[in-house]
Amino acid sequence: MKALVCSEFGSTQNLRLEDAEAPEPSAGQVLIDVHAAGVNFPDILTVQGKYQFKPNLPFTPGTEVSGVVTKVGEGVTTRKVGDEVFGTVQTGAFASEVVTSEYSTFLKGSMSFAQAAGFAITYGTSYYALKQRAELKLGESVLVLGAAGGVGIACIQIAKSMGAKIIAAASTEEKLDFACEAGADLRVNYSSENLKETVKEVTEGKGVDIIYDPVGGDLAEQALRAVAWDGRFLVIGFASGLIPRMPLNLALLKGASLVGVFWGSWAGRDPAGSKKNFRALVEMVDQEKFSPLVTEVYPLNKFSDAFECISQR
């Protein structure tokens, strides 16, 4: 089989596509014939050796996969050969075949393999954030920072299907157009508008109920200053590279909550809850409440272009 191999931490340009021995599923595992693999910003950080998880060298990067189960290990009860699945792996998705726990896979329903490959992390994170962490209620407002990014678009689509009013925030009009096509109701260009003042204006002074922040940096404090009473600030990640230092008096004055969202850790601690979430998400897609967006598709030998697309936002 073919596999993308990282032999030293550094640039994704140093990765090499090599022939490798096909893996065999151990007890509780399934072998997946990979049809598509999702590319995420943390993949770049992992190759650079800068992510919170640092694999042993050499390794094959990639954490999201979709494909067909071709072999099952001893004791597997929830999967069978021929199942069309998507799921997550710690590493190894950028290869022709990969093994993972049966409990890390989910039936893909009506999604294409390309859609399913980018589904687990972005949609899993966003649904967990909105449902379990923010406890989103019908009619509440959600401000989405980095709205045109992967988790941003997923948040918009899911929150919209849950009955929320969405305010998309991004750095260009093109990105905001994309976010509005995905379902956002209102928009803020934080390159040309004051984020806090604009959000206050469009919410008629009330502020926003939920802030979804995968960006971090300087925008985080501006957003928190626009939170409504009893609002929730969801800490998703720090794509800007800067971890903000928040004035906690703002949370006190607004009766607001700063809520950490670590989907991967939660899914590992509560696999039954994760399974229930994905069942609900796939059902939303099957019922055409939203359709996962695929903006770019690359063959495996064009991996450099895929990583460049992610790194250049």
Side-chain angles (χ1 to χ4, degrees):
M1 72 167 193
K2 293 291 185 180
L4 196 59
V5 177
C6 177
S7 298
E8 59 179 335
F9 294 116
S11 170
T12 54
Q13 300 297 319
N14 296 334
L15 298 173
R16 294 290 178 265
L17 192 58
E18 301 178 0
D19 291 316
E21 186 176 345
E24 284 290 324
S26 301
Q29 292 185 322
V30 296
L31 176 66
I32 299 173
D33 178 31
V34 178
H35 286 222
V39 184
N40 297 281
F41 187 68
D43 295 323
I44 297 175
L45 296 179
T46 302
V47 171
Q48 293 173 341
K50 298 178 179 179
Y51 196 53
Q52 53 208 18
F53 162 68
K54 195 169 185 178
N56 295 324
L57 295 169
F59 71 97
T60 293
T63 55
E64 283 190 295
V65 64
S66 69
V68 179
V69 175
T70 56
K71 192 178 292 188
V72 299
E74 182 182 353
V76 170
T77 59
T78 65
R79 293 289 167 261
K80 65 181 185 302
V81 172
D83 280 350
E84 296 184 350
V85 299
F86 69 93
T88 58
V89 293
Q90 197 163 52
T91 58
F94 300 146
S96 304
E97 296 177 277
V98 68
V99 294
T100 190
S101 164
E102 63 175 316
Y103 299 112
S104 295
T105 66
F106 310 91
L107 297 176
K108 73 176 186 64
S110 61
M111 287 186 287
S112 69
F113 286 110
Q115 287 177 309
F119 194 74
I121 292 176
T122 54
Y123 287 83
T125 295
S126 295
Y127 190 50
Y128 166 62
L130 294 168
K131 183 175 186 288
Q132 276 88 7
R133 302 301 285 154
E135 298 182 346
L136 172 64
K137 301 175 185 65
L138 182 67
E140 286 193 312
S141 57
V142 181
L143 171 64
V144 184
L145 304 183
V151 289
I153 291 296
C155 177
I156 289 170
Q157 290 187 314
I158 294 170
K160 190 73 173 180
S161 72
M162 295 173 71
K165 183 176 183 179
I166 316 300
I167 306 168
S171 59
T172 69
E173 294 302 317
E174 182 182 14
K175 290 178 179 179
L176 288 167
D177 287 342
F178 184 52
C180 288
E181 289 171 10
D185 301 290
L186 300 167
R187 54 200 284 161
V188 182
N189 185 330
Y190 46 65
S191 293
S192 58
E193 301 174 85
N194 181 285
L195 180 62
K196 172 197 168 185
E197 296 302 327
T198 304
V199 171
K200 283 282 194 177
E201 180 181 340
V202 299
T203 58
E204 300 179 341
K206 174 180 180 291
V208 68
D209 297 304
I210 297 169
I211 298 165
Y212 184 96
D213 182 16
V215 180
D218 295 336
L219 292 172
E221 182 178 334
Q222 288 189 49
L224 183 58
R225 289 183 180 276
V227 74
W229 175 259
D230 200 27
R232 289 83 82 200
F233 186 107
L234 298 173
V235 182
I236 309 297
F238 313 102
S240 69
L242 299 174
I243 298 176
R245 296 178 180 273
M246 304 291 274
L248 294 183
N249 64 307
L250 295 176
L252 184 153
L253 293 172
K254 297 294 186 71
S257 304
L258 296 173
V259 185
V261 179
F262 192 171
W263 168 75
S265 181
W266 170 78
R269 295 165 184 264
D270 187 2
S274 177
K275 183 178 180 180
K276 185 176 180 180
N277 272 15
F278 276 121
R279 189 182 297 119
L281 282 168
V282 171
E283 187 174 297
M284 289 180 197
V285 176
D286 290 346
Q287 293 176 350
E288 300 183 349
K289 291 185 177 180
F290 63 83
S291 179
L293 301 179
V294 177
T295 55
E296 305 286 345
V297 178
Y298 301 89
L300 187 56
N301 62 1
K302 297 292 185 180
F303 63 88
S304 292
D305 295 337
F307 284 123
E308 183 67 13
C309 180
I310 291 290
S311 64
Q312 295 301 318
R313 301 170 62 191

